[in-house]
mmCIF file of all heavy atoms in Angstrom:
data_model
loop_
_atom_site.group_PDB
_atom_site.id
_atom_site.type_symbol
_atom_site.label_atom_id
_atom_site.label_comp_id
_atom_site.label_asym_id
_atom_site.label_seq_id
_atom_site.Cartn_x
_atom_site.Cartn_y
_atom_site.Cartn_z
ATOM 1 N N GLY A 307 -65.904 -21.794 -5.560
ATOM 2 C CA GLY A 307 -66.430 -21.918 -4.205
ATOM 3 C C GLY A 307 -65.349 -21.732 -3.159
ATOM 4 O O GLY A 307 -64.175 -21.854 -3.447
ATOM 5 N N GLY A 308 -65.751 -21.456 -1.958
ATOM 6 C CA GLY A 308 -64.795 -21.386 -0.844
ATOM 7 C C GLY A 308 -64.011 -20.120 -0.801
ATOM 8 O O GLY A 308 -62.787 -20.136 -0.754
ATOM 9 N N GLY A 309 -64.647 -19.027 -0.848
ATOM 10 C CA GLY A 309 -63.944 -17.740 -0.682
ATOM 11 C C GLY A 309 -63.668 -17.085 -1.998
ATOM 12 O O GLY A 309 -63.793 -17.687 -3.054
ATOM 13 N N PHE A 310 -63.266 -15.791 -1.873
ATOM 14 C CA PHE A 310 -63.089 -14.998 -3.088
ATOM 15 C C PHE A 310 -61.624 -14.769 -3.459
ATOM 16 O O PHE A 310 -61.340 -14.426 -4.575
ATOM 17 C CB PHE A 310 -63.748 -13.610 -2.890
ATOM 18 C CG PHE A 310 -65.172 -13.704 -2.406
ATOM 19 C CD1 PHE A 310 -65.536 -13.292 -1.144
ATOM 20 C CD2 PHE A 310 -66.160 -14.213 -3.258
ATOM 21 C CE1 PHE A 310 -66.840 -13.364 -0.731
ATOM 22 C CE2 PHE A 310 -67.477 -14.276 -2.828
ATOM 23 C CZ PHE A 310 -67.832 -13.855 -1.550
ATOM 24 N N GLY A 311 -60.796 -14.942 -2.518
ATOM 25 C CA GLY A 311 -59.403 -14.512 -2.691
ATOM 26 C C GLY A 311 -58.668 -15.127 -3.858
ATOM 27 O O GLY A 311 -57.874 -14.482 -4.495
ATOM 28 N N ALA A 433 -68.311 -4.426 -1.446
ATOM 29 C CA ALA A 433 -67.758 -5.749 -1.165
ATOM 30 C C ALA A 433 -68.578 -6.543 -0.153
ATOM 31 O O ALA A 433 -69.198 -5.982 0.748
ATOM 32 C CB ALA A 433 -66.333 -5.604 -0.652
ATOM 33 N N ILE A 434 -68.535 -7.861 -0.354
ATOM 34 C CA ILE A 434 -69.163 -8.779 0.605
ATOM 35 C C ILE A 434 -68.000 -9.458 1.349
ATOM 36 O O ILE A 434 -67.063 -9.943 0.727
ATOM 37 C CB ILE A 434 -69.997 -9.856 -0.135
ATOM 38 C CG1 ILE A 434 -71.049 -9.180 -0.991
ATOM 39 C CG2 ILE A 434 -70.592 -10.830 0.856
ATOM 40 C CD1 ILE A 434 -71.642 -10.116 -2.047
ATOM 41 N N THR A 435 -68.092 -9.457 2.658
ATOM 42 C CA THR A 435 -67.016 -10.052 3.455
ATOM 43 C C THR A 435 -67.508 -11.350 4.069
ATOM 44 O O THR A 435 -68.621 -11.419 4.560
ATOM 45 C CB THR A 435 -66.576 -9.065 4.552
ATOM 46 O OG1 THR A 435 -66.295 -7.821 3.935
ATOM 47 C CG2 THR A 435 -65.353 -9.563 5.284
ATOM 48 N N GLU A 436 -66.670 -12.399 3.975
ATOM 49 C CA GLU A 436 -67.019 -13.708 4.543
ATOM 50 C C GLU A 436 -65.898 -14.189 5.451
ATOM 51 O O GLU A 436 -64.742 -13.811 5.264
ATOM 52 C CB GLU A 436 -67.195 -14.739 3.418
ATOM 53 C CG GLU A 436 -68.467 -14.576 2.638
ATOM 54 C CD GLU A 436 -68.582 -15.627 1.522
ATOM 55 O OE1 GLU A 436 -67.679 -16.493 1.429
ATOM 56 O OE2 GLU A 436 -69.561 -15.558 0.766
ATOM 57 N N THR A 437 -66.276 -15.024 6.421
ATOM 58 C CA THR A 437 -65.247 -15.618 7.285
ATOM 59 C C THR A 437 -65.383 -17.131 7.177
ATOM 60 O O THR A 437 -66.487 -17.673 7.354
ATOM 61 C CB THR A 437 -65.453 -15.178 8.744
ATOM 62 O OG1 THR A 437 -65.518 -13.759 8.777
ATOM 63 C CG2 THR A 437 -64.326 -15.651 9.641
ATOM 64 N N ASP A 438 -64.293 -17.818 6.821
ATOM 65 C CA ASP A 438 -64.386 -19.281 6.659
ATOM 66 C C ASP A 438 -64.188 -19.999 8.001
ATOM 67 O O ASP A 438 -64.016 -19.352 9.047
ATOM 68 C CB ASP A 438 -63.382 -19.771 5.594
ATOM 69 C CG ASP A 438 -61.938 -19.543 6.021
ATOM 70 O OD1 ASP A 438 -61.707 -19.181 7.194
ATOM 71 O OD2 ASP A 438 -61.023 -19.712 5.162
ATOM 72 N N GLU A 439 -64.229 -21.339 7.952
ATOM 73 C CA GLU A 439 -64.165 -22.128 9.198
ATOM 74 C C GLU A 439 -62.845 -21.951 9.940
ATOM 75 O O GLU A 439 -62.771 -22.168 11.137
ATOM 76 C CB GLU A 439 -64.424 -23.619 8.903
ATOM 77 C CG GLU A 439 -63.437 -24.289 7.966
ATOM 78 C CD GLU A 439 -63.880 -24.250 6.507
ATOM 79 O OE1 GLU A 439 -64.716 -23.381 6.164
ATOM 80 O OE2 GLU A 439 -63.379 -25.055 5.730
ATOM 81 N N ASN A 440 -61.801 -21.556 9.219
ATOM 82 C CA ASN A 440 -60.519 -21.316 9.885
ATOM 83 C C ASN A 440 -60.417 -19.916 10.473
ATOM 84 O O ASN A 440 -59.377 -19.531 11.009
ATOM 85 C CB ASN A 440 -59.363 -21.500 8.892
ATOM 86 C CG ASN A 440 -59.300 -22.939 8.364
ATOM 87 O OD1 ASN A 440 -59.612 -23.864 9.100
ATOM 88 N ND2 ASN A 440 -58.934 -23.089 7.102
ATOM 89 N N GLY A 441 -61.446 -19.167 10.290
ATOM 90 C CA GLY A 441 -61.431 -17.805 10.825
ATOM 91 C C GLY A 441 -60.805 -16.805 9.900
ATOM 92 O O GLY A 441 -60.594 -15.648 10.241
ATOM 93 N N ARG A 442 -60.499 -17.262 8.679
ATOM 94 C CA ARG A 442 -59.887 -16.328 7.735
ATOM 95 C C ARG A 442 -60.949 -15.491 7.067
ATOM 96 O O ARG A 442 -61.972 -16.021 6.612
ATOM 97 C CB ARG A 442 -59.112 -17.095 6.664
ATOM 98 C CG ARG A 442 -57.667 -17.268 7.039
ATOM 99 C CD ARG A 442 -56.825 -17.583 5.853
ATOM 100 N NE ARG A 442 -57.449 -18.567 4.951
ATOM 101 C CZ ARG A 442 -56.793 -19.148 3.954
ATOM 102 N NH1 ARG A 442 -55.534 -18.855 3.767
ATOM 103 N NH2 ARG A 442 -57.391 -20.015 3.167
ATOM 104 N N GLU A 443 -60.676 -14.224 7.011
ATOM 105 C CA GLU A 443 -61.665 -13.307 6.440
ATOM 106 C C GLU A 443 -61.348 -13.074 4.977
ATOM 107 O O GLU A 443 -60.211 -12.789 4.619
ATOM 108 C CB GLU A 443 -61.622 -11.973 7.196
ATOM 109 C CG GLU A 443 -62.902 -11.170 7.019
ATOM 110 C CD GLU A 443 -62.903 -9.943 7.899
ATOM 111 O OE1 GLU A 443 -62.226 -8.965 7.534
ATOM 112 O OE2 GLU A 443 -63.568 -9.982 8.954
ATOM 113 N N THR A 444 -62.326 -13.245 4.119
ATOM 114 C CA THR A 444 -62.103 -12.976 2.689
ATOM 115 C C THR A 444 -63.144 -11.960 2.233
ATOM 116 O O THR A 444 -64.232 -11.868 2.792
ATOM 117 C CB THR A 444 -62.245 -14.249 1.839
ATOM 118 O OG1 THR A 444 -63.489 -14.864 2.163
ATOM 119 C CG2 THR A 444 -61.112 -15.214 2.104
ATOM 120 N N THR A 445 -62.750 -11.223 1.194
ATOM 121 C CA THR A 445 -63.666 -10.189 0.700
ATOM 122 C C THR A 445 -63.805 -10.335 -0.806
ATOM 123 O O THR A 445 -62.911 -10.841 -1.485
ATOM 124 C CB THR A 445 -63.130 -8.785 1.050
ATOM 125 O OG1 THR A 445 -63.990 -7.817 0.446
ATOM 126 C CG2 THR A 445 -61.703 -8.564 0.566
ATOM 127 N N SER A 446 -64.932 -9.909 -1.312
ATOM 128 C CA SER A 446 -65.180 -10.002 -2.753
ATOM 129 C C SER A 446 -64.599 -8.802 -3.486
ATOM 130 O O SER A 446 -64.641 -8.737 -4.714
ATOM 131 C CB SER A 446 -66.686 -10.102 -3.016
ATOM 132 O OG SER A 446 -67.301 -8.870 -2.671
#
Side-chain angles (χ1 to χ4, degrees):
Chain A
F310 308 112
I434 302 164
T435 308
E436 286 180 3
T437 307
D438 65 10
E439 61 267 21
N440 297 326
R442 267 199 317 191
E443 200 173 78
T444 52
T445 175
S446 68

